[in-house]
Amino acid sequence: MSLKLDGKKLSLEIEEKLNNYIYINKTMAKRNPGLAVIRIGEDPASGVYVKNKEKACSRVGIKSFIFHLKDTVEQKEVEQLINKLNLDKDIDGMLLQLPIPNKFDEQRLISYINPDKDVDGLNEQNIGKLVKNESAMRSCTPAGIVNLLRSQNIKIEGKNIVVIGRSLLVGKPLSLMLLNLNGTVTMTHSKTKNLKKICKEADILIAAAGKPNLIDSSFVKDGAVIIDVGIHRLTSSEKSKPRLCGDVLLGDVIPKVFAYTPVPGGVGPMTVTMLLVNTIFSWQKQFGLSSNLNDLLP
Ligand code: NAD
């Protein structure tokens, strides 16, 4: 029977450790860690993600500060808010909830975030440190995936790993993290020729294309590990409740693989947990607290 890589369970285990860590160290720091979330506009999915982050923060003892701005706000005003939060001594981490409306220069806003507070790990400095394999904030979804693999002692070193997708948010940083851990990584994308043939060589196949059910069993080698990053809400009719699925046709693939991540309950919960880890990592650095989080930041 194939092994389910249960992100929900692992994220609860990590949260318990984080909760203890804050409890033990808050006297020395004289305050709890703080996370600021900037949301612009009314994208409903963003509203749900921000609420989930707020709830996760409160479970472990991180104070969250939510800044919900109207989409009529100017780029300059958002930059000023970021600068203010960069200087705020009660805030250890900050993120811009994506996507934001098109009129904003997203990359410029992210580059304004102090790299030490960049808990999404998307700032050039943190990406640069990842390229150089130096310790830094790591982007959350890729770091969560590495922790899921490690939690079941799935070896990365020397394995053929195929990553589908080359986005700045997932595919690129994930490929770099796996390369730093001595995997033999092939990064594929929408212009890749013979995708199926390449995927069939993978010991670990990671689908982050954002295309529902793209990967069926014909893409997968017997005994491979399959990680499904995609999240899609599919509705069969206007009245029916949306059903969540990933990039992988799981029912077809599970009988063939050694291990897989479910959707929901696989990669998603780990993404939020890594945001908490990054916030506490920044708090720990600021107050010179003892470190037991480095293992979680690949
Ligand atoms: P994106 O649209 O920015 O990037 C998709 C990438 O996939 C691109 O590099 C593109 O070249 C590649 N691609 C698209 N179609 C392809 C195809 N047919 N064959 C090969 N490559 C193809 O998306 P993203 O932000 O990287 O997110 C990818 C998916 O992961 C989305 O479904 C998103 O919702 C999900 N996601 C989940 C989490 C989580 O926490 N679980 C976090 C981030 C993103």
Side-chain angles (χ1 to χ4, degrees):
M1 211 171 74
S2 24
L3 172 71
K4 178 164 96 170
L5 299 173
D6 190 336
K8 200 165 173 195
K9 183 160 168 269
L10 180 61
S11 69
L12 289 175
E13 286 166 18
I14 296 176
E15 278 188 13
E16 197 179 325
K17 284 189 198 148
L18 299 179
N19 194 320
N20 284 335
Y21 184 79
I22 293 176
Y23 182 76
I24 292 166
N25 287 289
K26 69 181 177 191
T27 315
M28 188 168 160
K30 297 198 179 67
R31 66 163 176 82
N32 288 39
L35 171 69
V37 178
I38 304 172
R39 177 183 169 204
I40 311 176
E42 299 305 325
D43 176 53
S46 291
V48 174
Y49 290 135
V50 170
K51 268 263 160 310
N52 286 343
K53 288 171 186 176
E54 218 180 337
K55 282 188 201 154
C57 282
S58 79
R59 285 198 296 272
V60 298
I62 294 175
K63 192 167 177 198
S64 47
F65 302 82
I66 312 294
F67 297 86
H68 187 180
L69 311 178
K70 292 201 165 28
D71 56 10
T72 49
V73 77
E74 295 296 326
Q75 168 95 14
K76 246 282 84 24
E77 293 172 77
V78 187
E79 289 171 8
Q80 280 163 357
L81 172 63
I82 293 175
N83 277 334
K84 196 172 130 223
L85 297 172
N86 279 339
L87 299 172
D88 190 325
K89 293 222 164 355
D90 287 333
I91 286 179
D92 304 287
M94 177 193 337
L95 70 92
L96 183 63
Q97 181 65 45
L98 302 176
I100 54 174
N102 284 337
K103 72 167 193 177
F104 295 99
D105 182 342
E106 179 182 302
Q107 285 311 311
R108 188 177 154 97
L109 289 176
I110 290 171
S111 72
Y112 264 74
I113 298 176
N114 175 347
D116 289 333
K117 296 192 177 188
D118 167 38
V119 282
D120 265 346
L122 296 175
N123 180 293
E124 293 92 339
Q125 194 165 317
N126 286 322
I127 300 270
K129 285 190 173 173
L130 172 62
V131 173
K132 291 166 82 180
N133 198 9
E134 290 174 5
S135 162
M137 300 275 190
R138 296 292 192 237
S139 39
C140 298
T141 302
I145 292 169
V146 171
N147 280 310
L148 259 178
L149 292 169
R150 283 173 162 174
S151 72
Q152 294 297 332
N153 297 318
I154 293 173
K155 217 173 141 199
I156 293 170
E157 183 164 315
K159 295 292 176 188
N160 275 336
I161 305 174
V162 174
V163 177
I164 309 174
R166 58 175 164 184
S167 72
L168 264 181
L169 197 62
V170 185
K172 271 186 197 154
L174 176 59
S175 299
L176 286 164
M177 280 177 214
L178 296 166
L179 186 65
N180 290 342
L181 293 166
N182 299 320
T184 303
V185 182
T186 306
M187 206 193 303
T188 65
H189 47 80
S190 54
K191 303 281 186 277
T192 297
K193 302 245 176 352
N194 300 323
L195 182 68
K196 190 180 281 193
K197 189 164 172 265
I198 296 168
C199 290
K200 281 205 92 157
E201 296 292 310
D203 302 312
I204 302 175
L205 177 61
I206 304 177
K211 296 279 178 284
N213 301 328
L214 173 73
I215 302 301
D216 64 22
S217 59
S218 66
F219 284 73
V220 180
K221 181 166 94 171
D222 279 331
V225 173
I226 183 131
I227 305 288
D228 192 353
V229 187
I231 310 179
H232 313 280
R233 281 177 182 76
L234 298 184
T235 31
S236 44
S237 75
E238 254 180 38
K239 282 196 185 136
S240 64
K241 260 181 104 182
R243 186 177 60 83
L244 282 186
C245 77
D247 286 2
V248 179
L249 195 55
L250 265 185
D252 187 41
V253 163
I254 287 175
K256 218 175 165 182
V257 295
F258 168 68
Y260 68 95
T261 55
V263 175
V267 174
M270 290 303 295
T271 299
V272 179
T273 299
M274 292 314 300
L275 180 67
L276 308 177
V277 170
N278 276 339
T279 305
I280 298 170
F281 178 68
S282 166
W283 181 69
Q284 166 207 288
K285 261 176 65 182
Q286 181 169 343
F287 291 100
L289 306 171
S290 68
S291 155
N292 64 358
L293 298 174
N294 287 352
D295 284 355
L296 293 171
L297 295 171

Coordinates of all heavy atoms in Angstrom, one line a residue, residues 33-113:
P33 N 6.3 36.8 19.0 CA 6.7 37.1 17.7 C 5.5 37.8 17.0 O 4.3 37.6 17.4 CB 6.9 35.8 17.0 CG 7.0 34.8 18.0 CD 6.3 35.3 19.2
G34 N 5.8 38.7 16.0 CA 4.7 39.4 15.3 C 4.8 39.2 13.8 O 5.9 39.3 13.2
L35 N 3.7 39.0 13.2 CA 3.6 38.9 11.7 C 2.6 39.9 11.1 O 1.5 40.0 11.5 CB 3.2 37.5 11.3 CG 2.9 37.2 9.8 CD1 4.2 37.3 9.0 CD2 2.2 35.9 9.6
A36 N 3.1 40.7 10.1 CA 2.2 41.6 9.4 C 1.8 41.1 8.1 O 2.7 40.6 7.3 CB 2.9 43.0 9.3
V37 N 0.5 41.1 7.8 CA 0.1 40.6 6.5 C -0.6 41.8 5.7 O -1.5 42.4 6.3 CB -1.0 39.5 6.6 CG1 -1.5 39.0 5.3 CG2 -0.3 38.3 7.4
I38 N -0.1 42.1 4.5 CA -0.7 43.2 3.7 C -1.6 42.6 2.6 O -1.1 41.8 1.8 CB 0.4 44.1 3.1 CG1 1.3 44.6 4.2 CG2 -0.3 45.2 2.3 CD1 2.5 45.4 3.6
R39 N -2.8 42.9 2.7 CA -3.7 42.4 1.6 C -4.3 43.6 0.8 O -4.6 44.6 1.5 CB -4.9 41.6 2.3 CG -5.9 41.2 1.3 CD -7.1 40.5 2.0 NE -8.1 40.3 1.0 CZ -9.4 40.1 1.4 NH1 -9.8 40.1 2.6 NH2 -10.3 39.9 0.4
I40 N -4.3 43.6 -0.5 CA -4.8 44.7 -1.3 C -6.0 44.2 -2.1 O -5.8 43.2 -2.9 CB -3.7 45.3 -2.2 CG1 -2.4 45.6 -1.4 CG2 -4.2 46.6 -2.9 CD1 -1.3 46.1 -2.3
G41 N -7.1 44.9 -2.0 CA -8.2 44.5 -2.9 C -9.1 43.4 -2.2 O -8.9 43.1 -1.1
E42 N -10.0 42.9 -3.1 CA -11.1 42.0 -2.5 C -11.1 40.6 -3.0 O -12.1 40.0 -3.0 CB -12.5 42.7 -2.8 CG -12.7 44.1 -2.2 CD -12.4 44.1 -0.7 OE1 -12.8 43.1 0.0 OE2 -11.9 45.1 -0.2
D43 N -9.9 40.2 -3.6 CA -9.9 38.8 -4.1 C -10.4 37.8 -3.0 O -9.8 37.8 -1.9 CB -8.4 38.5 -4.5 CG -8.3 37.0 -4.9 OD1 -9.0 36.6 -5.8 OD2 -7.4 36.3 -4.3
P44 N -11.5 37.1 -3.2 CA -12.0 36.3 -2.1 C -11.1 35.2 -1.6 O -11.0 34.9 -0.4 CB -13.3 35.7 -2.7 CG -13.3 36.1 -4.2 CD -12.2 37.0 -4.5
A45 N -10.4 34.6 -2.5 CA -9.5 33.5 -2.1 C -8.4 34.1 -1.2 O -8.0 33.5 -0.1 CB -8.8 32.8 -3.3
S46 N -7.9 35.3 -1.5 CA -6.9 35.9 -0.6 C -7.5 36.1 0.8 O -6.8 35.9 1.8 CB -6.5 37.3 -1.1 OG -5.7 37.1 -2.3
G47 N -8.8 36.5 0.8 CA -9.4 36.7 2.1 C -9.4 35.4 3.0 O -9.1 35.4 4.2
V48 N -9.6 34.3 2.3 CA -9.6 33.0 3.0 C -8.2 32.7 3.5 O -7.9 32.3 4.6 CB -10.1 31.8 2.1 CG1 -10.0 30.5 2.7 CG2 -11.6 32.1 1.7
Y49 N -7.2 32.9 2.6 CA -5.8 32.6 2.9 C -5.3 33.4 4.1 O -4.7 32.9 5.0 CB -4.9 32.8 1.7 CG -5.1 31.7 0.6 CD1 -5.2 32.1 -0.7 CD2 -5.2 30.4 0.9 CE1 -5.4 31.2 -1.7 CE2 -5.4 29.4 0.0 CZ -5.5 29.8 -1.4 OH -5.7 28.9 -2.3
V50 N -5.7 34.7 4.1 CA -5.3 35.6 5.2 C -5.9 35.1 6.5 O -5.2 35.1 7.5 CB -5.6 37.1 4.9 CG1 -5.4 38.0 6.1 CG2 -4.8 37.6 3.7
K51 N -7.2 34.8 6.5 CA -7.9 34.3 7.7 C -7.2 33.0 8.2 O -6.9 32.9 9.4 CB -9.3 33.9 7.4 CG -10.3 35.0 7.6 CD -11.0 34.9 9.0 CE -11.7 36.1 9.5 NZ -10.9 37.4 9.5
N52 N -6.8 32.1 7.3 CA -6.1 30.9 7.7 C -4.8 31.2 8.4 O -4.4 30.6 9.4 CB -5.9 30.0 6.5 CG -7.1 29.3 6.1 OD1 -8.1 29.3 6.9 ND2 -7.2 28.8 4.9
K53 N -4.1 32.2 7.8 CA -2.8 32.6 8.4 C -3.0 33.2 9.8 O -2.2 32.9 10.7 CB -2.1 33.5 7.5 CG -1.6 32.8 6.2 CD -1.0 33.8 5.1 CE -0.7 32.9 3.9 NZ -0.3 33.7 2.7
E54 N -4.0 34.0 9.9 CA -4.3 34.6 11.2 C -4.6 33.6 12.3 O -4.0 33.6 13.4 CB -5.5 35.5 11.0 CG -5.5 36.8 11.7 CD -6.8 37.6 11.5 OE1 -7.5 37.4 10.4 OE2 -7.1 38.4 12.3
K55 N -5.4 32.6 11.9 CA -5.7 31.5 12.8 C -4.5 30.7 13.2 O -4.3 30.3 14.4 CB -6.8 30.5 12.2 CG -8.2 31.1 12.2 CD -9.1 30.0 11.7 CE -10.4 30.5 11.2 NZ -11.1 29.7 10.2
A56 N -3.7 30.4 12.2 CA -2.5 29.6 12.5 C -1.5 30.3 13.4 O -1.0 29.8 14.4 CB -1.7 29.2 11.2
C57 N -1.4 31.7 13.2 CA -0.6 32.5 14.1 C -1.1 32.4 15.6 O -0.3 32.2 16.5 CB -0.6 33.9 13.7 SG 0.4 34.3 12.3
S58 N -2.4 32.5 15.7 CA -2.9 32.5 17.1 C -2.7 31.2 17.7 O -2.6 31.1 18.9 CB -4.3 33.1 17.1 OG -5.2 32.1 16.8
R59 N -2.8 30.1 17.0 CA -2.6 28.7 17.6 C -1.2 28.6 18.2 O -1.1 27.9 19.2 CB -2.7 27.6 16.5 CG -4.1 27.4 16.1 CD -4.3 26.0 15.4 NE -3.5 25.9 14.1 CZ -4.0 26.3 12.9 NH1 -5.2 26.7 12.8 NH2 -3.2 26.1 11.8
V60 N -0.2 29.2 17.6 CA 1.2 29.0 18.2 C 1.7 30.2 19.0 O 2.7 30.1 19.7 CB 2.2 28.7 17.1 CG1 1.9 27.5 16.3 CG2 2.4 29.9 16.1
G61 N 0.9 31.3 19.0 CA 1.3 32.4 19.9 C 2.0 33.5 19.1 O 2.8 34.3 19.7
I62 N 1.8 33.6 17.8 CA 2.3 34.7 17.0 C 1.2 35.8 17.0 O 0.1 35.5 16.7 CB 2.7 34.3 15.6 CG1 3.9 33.3 15.7 CG2 3.1 35.5 14.7 CD1 4.3 32.7 14.3
K63 N 1.6 37.0 17.2 CA 0.6 38.1 17.1 C 0.5 38.5 15.6 O 1.6 38.8 15.0 CB 1.1 39.3 18.0 CG 0.0 40.3 18.2 CD 0.4 41.3 19.3 CE -0.7 42.3 19.4 NZ -0.4 43.5 20.1
S64 N -0.7 38.6 15.1 CA -0.8 39.0 13.7 C -1.4 40.4 13.5 O -2.2 40.8 14.3 CB -1.6 38.0 12.8 OG -2.8 37.6 13.5
F65 N -0.9 41.1 12.5 CA -1.3 42.4 12.3 C -1.8 42.5 10.8 O -0.9 42.3 9.9 CB -0.1 43.4 12.4 CG 0.5 43.4 13.8 CD1 1.5 42.5 14.1 CD2 0.1 44.4 14.8 CE1 2.1 42.4 15.4 CE2 0.7 44.4 16.0 CZ 1.7 43.4 16.3
I66 N -3.1 42.6 10.6 CA -3.6 42.5 9.2 C -3.8 44.0 8.7 O -4.5 44.7 9.3 CB -4.9 41.7 9.2 CG1 -4.8 40.4 9.9 CG2 -5.4 41.5 7.7 CD1 -3.8 39.4 9.4
F67 N -3.3 44.2 7.5 CA -3.5 45.5 6.9 C -4.2 45.3 5.6 O -3.6 44.8 4.6 CB -2.1 46.2 6.6 CG -1.4 46.6 7.9 CD1 -0.6 45.6 8.4 CD2 -1.5 47.8 8.5 CE1 0.1 45.9 9.6 CE2 -0.9 48.1 9.7 CZ 0.0 47.1 10.2
H68 N -5.5 45.5 5.6 CA -6.3 45.3 4.4 C -6.6 46.6 3.7 O -7.3 47.5 4.2 CB -7.7 44.7 4.8 CG -8.5 44.2 3.6 ND1 -9.7 43.6 3.7 CD2 -8.2 44.3 2.3 CE1 -10.2 43.4 2.5 NE2 -9.3 43.8 1.6
L69 N -5.9 46.8 2.5 CA -6.0 48.1 1.8 C -6.9 48.0 0.7 O -7.1 46.9 0.0 CB -4.6 48.4 1.3 CG -3.4 48.3 2.3 CD1 -2.1 48.7 1.6 CD2 -3.6 49.3 3.5
K70 N -7.5 49.1 0.3 CA -8.5 49.2 -0.8 C -7.6 49.2 -2.1 O -6.5 49.6 -2.1 CB -9.3 50.5 -0.8 CG -10.3 50.5 0.4 CD -11.4 51.5 0.0 CE -12.6 51.4 0.9 NZ -12.5 50.9 2.2
D71 N -8.2 48.7 -3.2 CA -7.4 48.6 -4.4 C -7.2 50.0 -5.1 O -6.5 50.2 -6.1 CB -7.9 47.6 -5.5 CG -9.3 47.8 -5.8 OD1 -9.8 48.9 -5.4 OD2 -9.9 46.9 -6.5
T72 N -7.8 51.0 -4.5 CA -7.6 52.4 -4.9 C -6.3 53.0 -4.4 O -5.9 54.1 -4.8 CB -8.8 53.3 -4.5 OG1 -9.0 53.1 -3.1 CG2 -10.1 53.0 -5.3
V73 N -5.7 52.3 -3.4 CA -4.5 52.8 -2.8 C -3.4 52.9 -3.9 O -3.4 52.2 -4.9 CB -4.1 51.9 -1.7 CG1 -3.5 50.6 -2.2 CG2 -3.2 52.5 -0.7
E74 N -2.4 53.9 -3.7 CA -1.4 54.0 -4.7 C -0.2 53.2 -4.3 O 0.1 52.9 -3.2 CB -0.9 55.5 -4.7 CG -1.9 56.5 -5.2 CD -2.3 56.3 -6.7 OE1 -1.5 55.9 -7.5 OE2 -3.5 56.5 -7.0
Q75 N 0.6 52.8 -5.4 CA 1.9 52.1 -5.1 C 2.7 52.7 -4.0 O 3.2 52.0 -3.1 CB 2.6 52.0 -6.5 CG 4.1 51.5 -6.4 CD 4.2 50.0 -6.7 OE1 3.3 49.4 -7.2 NE2 5.4 49.5 -6.4
K76 N 2.9 54.0 -4.1 CA 3.7 54.8 -3.2 C 3.2 54.5 -1.7 O 4.1 54.4 -0.8 CB 3.6 56.3 -3.5 CG 4.8 56.9 -3.9 CD 6.0 57.5 -3.6 CE 7.3 57.3 -3.3 NZ 8.1 56.3 -3.8
E77 N 1.9 54.5 -1.5 CA 1.4 54.4 -0.2 C 1.7 53.0 0.4 O 2.0 52.8 1.5 CB -0.1 54.6 -0.2 CG -0.6 56.0 -0.5 CD -2.1 56.1 -0.6 OE1 -2.8 56.1 0.4 OE2 -2.5 56.2 -1.8
V78 N 1.7 52.0 -0.5 CA 2.0 50.6 -0.1 C 3.5 50.5 0.3 O 3.9 50.0 1.3 CB 1.6 49.5 -1.1 CG1 1.8 48.1 -0.6 CG2 0.2 49.7 -1.7
E79 N 4.3 51.2 -0.5 CA 5.7 51.2 -0.2 C 6.0 51.9 1.1 O 6.8 51.4 1.9 CB 6.5 52.0 -1.4 CG 6.5 51.2 -2.7 CD 7.0 52.0 -3.8 OE1 7.5 53.1 -3.7 OE2 6.9 51.5 -5.0
Q80 N 5.2 53.0 1.4 CA 5.4 53.7 2.7 C 5.0 52.7 3.8 O 5.7 52.7 4.9 CB 4.6 55.0 2.7 CG 5.3 56.1 1.9 CD 4.3 57.2 1.6 OE1 3.1 57.2 1.9 NE2 4.9 58.3 1.0
L81 N 3.9 52.0 3.6 CA 3.5 51.1 4.7 C 4.6 50.0 4.9 O 4.9 49.7 6.1 CB 2.2 50.4 4.3 CG 1.7 49.3 5.3 CD1 1.4 49.9 6.7 CD2 0.4 48.6 4.8
I82 N 5.1 49.5 3.8 CA 6.2 48.5 4.0 C 7.4 49.1 4.7 O 7.9 48.4 5.7 CB 6.6 47.9 2.6 CG1 5.4 47.1 2.0 CG2 7.8 47.0 2.7 CD1 5.6 46.6 0.6
N83 N 7.8 50.3 4.4 CA 8.9 50.9 5.1 C 8.6 51.1 6.5 O 9.5 50.9 7.4 CB 9.2 52.3 4.4 CG 10.1 52.1 3.2 OD1 10.8 51.1 3.1 ND2 10.0 53.0 2.3
K84 N 7.4 51.5 6.9 CA 7.0 51.7 8.3 C 7.1 50.3 9.0 O 7.7 50.2 10.1 CB 5.6 52.2 8.3 CG 5.2 52.8 9.7 CD 3.8 53.5 9.6 CE 3.0 53.0 10.7 NZ 1.6 52.6 10.5
L85 N 6.6 49.3 8.4 CA 6.6 47.9 9.0 C 8.1 47.4 9.1 O 8.4 46.7 10.1 CB 5.7 47.0 8.3 CG 4.3 47.3 8.3 CD1 3.5 46.4 7.3 CD2 3.7 47.3 9.7
N86 N 8.9 47.8 8.2 CA 10.3 47.4 8.2 C 11.0 47.9 9.5 O 11.8 47.3 10.1 CB 11.1 48.0 7.0 CG 10.9 47.2 5.8 OD1 10.6 46.0 5.8 ND2 11.2 47.8 4.6
L87 N 10.5 49.1 9.9 CA 11.1 49.7 11.1 C 10.4 49.4 12.4 O 10.9 49.7 13.5 CB 11.1 51.3 11.0 CG 11.9 51.8 9.8 CD1 11.6 53.3 9.6 CD2 13.4 51.5 9.9
D88 N 9.3 48.7 12.3 CA 8.5 48.4 13.5 C 9.1 47.3 14.3 O 9.2 46.2 13.9 CB 7.0 48.0 13.0 CG 6.1 48.0 14.2 OD1 6.5 47.6 15.3 OD2 4.9 48.3 14.0
K89 N 9.4 47.6 15.6 CA 10.1 46.7 16.4 C 9.3 45.5 16.9 O 9.8 44.5 17.4 CB 10.8 47.4 17.6 CG 11.8 48.4 17.2 CD 13.0 48.3 18.2 CE 14.3 49.0 17.8 NZ 14.4 49.5 16.5
D90 N 8.0 45.6 16.8 CA 7.1 44.6 17.2 C 6.8 43.5 16.1 O 6.1 42.6 16.3 CB 5.7 45.1 17.7 CG 5.9 45.8 19.0 OD1 6.8 45.4 19.8 OD2 5.1 46.7 19.3
I91 N 7.4 43.8 14.9 CA 7.1 43.0 13.8 C 8.3 42.2 13.3 O 9.3 42.9 12.9 CB 6.4 43.8 12.7 CG1 5.0 44.1 13.1 CG2 6.4 43.1 11.3 CD1 4.2 44.9 12.3
D92 N 8.2 40.9 13.3 CA 9.4 40.1 12.9 C 9.3 39.7 11.4 O 10.3 39.4 10.8 CB 9.5 38.9 13.8 CG 9.5 39.2 15.2 OD1 10.6 39.7 15.7 OD2 8.5 39.1 15.9
G93 N 8.0 39.5 11.0 CA 7.8 39.0 9.6 C 6.7 39.8 8.9 O 5.8 40.4 9.6
M94 N 6.8 39.9 7.6 CA 5.9 40.6 6.8 C 5.7 40.0 5.5 O 6.6 39.4 4.9 CB 6.5 42.0 6.6 CG 5.6 42.9 5.8 SD 6.4 44.4 5.2 CE 7.8 44.8 6.3
L95 N 4.4 39.9 5.0 CA 4.2 39.4 3.7 C 3.1 40.2 3.0 O 2.2 40.8 3.6 CB 3.8 37.9 3.7 CG 2.5 37.5 4.3 CD1 1.4 37.4 3.2 CD2 2.6 36.2 5.0
L96 N 3.2 40.2 1.7 CA 2.2 40.8 0.8 C 1.4 39.6 0.2 O 2.0 38.7 -0.4 CB 3.0 41.5 -0.3 CG 2.2 42.2 -1.4 CD1 1.4 43.4 -0.7 CD2 3.1 42.8 -2.5
Q97 N 0.1 39.6 0.6 CA -0.7 38.5 0.1 C -0.9 38.6 -1.4 O -1.4 39.5 -1.9 CB -2.1 38.5 0.8 CG -3.0 37.3 0.5 CD -2.4 36.0 0.9 OE1 -2.0 35.8 2.0 NE2 -2.5 35.0 -0.1
L98 N -0.5 37.5 -2.1 CA -0.6 37.5 -3.6 C -1.8 36.7 -4.0 O -2.2 35.8 -3.3 CB 0.7 37.0 -4.2 CG 2.0 37.7 -3.8 CD1 3.2 37.0 -4.4 CD2 2.0 39.1 -4.3
P99 N -2.5 37.0 -5.1 CA -2.1 38.0 -6.1 C -2.6 39.4 -5.6 O -3.6 39.5 -4.9 CB -2.9 37.6 -7.3 CG -4.1 36.9 -6.8 CD -3.6 36.2 -5.5
I100 N -2.0 40.4 -6.2 CA -2.5 41.8 -5.9 C -2.9 42.3 -7.3 O -2.5 41.8 -8.3 CB -1.4 42.7 -5.3 CG1 -0.1 42.7 -6.1 CG2 -1.1 42.3 -3.9 CD1 1.0 43.7 -5.6
P101 N -3.8 43.4 -7.3 CA -4.3 43.9 -8.6 C -3.1 44.3 -9.5 O -2.0 44.7 -9.0 CB -5.1 45.1 -8.1 CG -5.5 44.8 -6.7 CD -4.4 44.1 -6.1
N102 N -3.4 44.1 -10.8 CA -2.3 44.3 -11.8 C -1.7 45.7 -11.8 O -0.5 45.8 -12.3 CB -2.9 44.1 -13.2 CG -3.1 42.7 -13.5 OD1 -2.5 41.8 -12.8 ND2 -4.0 42.3 -14.4
K103 N -2.4 46.7 -11.4 CA -1.8 48.1 -11.5 C -0.5 48.2 -10.6 O 0.2 49.2 -10.8 CB -2.8 49.1 -11.1 CG -3.2 49.2 -9.6 CD -4.0 50.5 -9.3 CE -4.1 50.7 -7.8 NZ -4.7 51.9 -7.4
F104 N -0.3 47.3 -9.6 CA 0.8 47.4 -8.7 C 2.0 46.7 -9.3 O 1.9 45.7 -10.0 CB 0.5 46.8 -7.4 CG -0.5 47.6 -6.6 CD1 -1.9 47.1 -6.6 CD2 -0.3 48.7 -6.0 CE1 -2.8 47.8 -6.0 CE2 -1.3 49.4 -5.3 CZ -2.6 49.0 -5.3
D105 N 3.2 47.2 -9.0 CA 4.5 46.6 -9.4 C 4.8 45.6 -8.2 O 5.5 46.0 -7.3 CB 5.6 47.6 -9.6 CG 6.9 47.0 -10.1 OD1 7.1 45.8 -9.9 OD2 7.7 47.8 -10.6
E106 N 4.4 44.4 -8.4 CA 4.5 43.4 -7.3 C 6.0 43.2 -6.9 O 6.3 43.2 -5.7 CB 3.9 42.1 -7.9 CG 3.9 40.9 -6.9 CD 3.3 39.7 -7.6 OE1 2.2 39.7 -8.0 OE2 4.1 38.7 -7.7
Q107 N 6.9 43.0 -7.9 CA 8.3 42.7 -7.6 C 8.9 43.9 -6.9 O 9.7 43.7 -6.0 CB 9.1 42.4 -8.9 CG 8.8 41.0 -9.5 CD 8.9 39.9 -8.4 OE1 9.8 39.8 -7.6 NE2 7.8 39.0 -8.3
R108 N 8.5 45.1 -7.3 CA 9.1 46.3 -6.6 C 8.7 46.3 -5.1 O 9.5 46.6 -4.2 CB 8.7 47.5 -7.3 CG 9.3 48.8 -6.9 CD 8.9 49.9 -7.7 NE 9.0 51.2 -7.0 CZ 10.0 52.0 -7.1 NH1 10.9 51.8 -7.9 NH2 10.0 53.1 -6.3
L109 N 7.4 46.0 -4.9 CA 6.9 46.0 -3.5 C 7.7 44.9 -2.7 O 8.1 45.2 -1.5 CB 5.4 45.7 -3.5 CG 4.5 46.9 -4.0 CD1 3.1 46.4 -4.0 CD2 4.7 48.1 -3.1
I110 N 7.8 43.7 -3.2 CA 8.5 42.7 -2.5 C 10.0 43.1 -2.2 O 10.5 42.8 -1.1 CB 8.4 41.3 -3.3 CG1 7.0 40.8 -3.3 CG2 9.4 40.3 -2.7 CD1 6.7 39.7 -4.2
S111 N 10.6 43.8 -3.2 CA 12.0 44.2 -3.0 C 12.1 45.2 -1.9 O 13.2 45.4 -1.3 CB 12.6 44.6 -4.3 OG 12.1 45.9 -4.6
Y112 N 11.0 45.9 -1.5 CA 11.0 46.9 -0.4 C 11.0 46.2 1.0 O 11.4 46.8 2.0 CB 9.8 47.8 -0.5 CG 10.0 49.1 -1.2 CD1 10.2 49.1 -2.6 CD2 10.2 50.3 -0.5 CE1 10.4 50.3 -3.3 CE2 10.4 51.5 -1.2 CZ 10.6 51.5 -2.6 OH 10.8 52.6 -3.2
I113 N 10.6 45.0 1.0 CA 10.5 44.3 2.3 C 11.9 44.0 2.8 O 12.8 43.4 2.1 CB 9.7 43.0 2.2 CG1 8.3 43.3 1.8 CG2 9.7 42.2 3.5 CD1 7.4 42.1 1.5

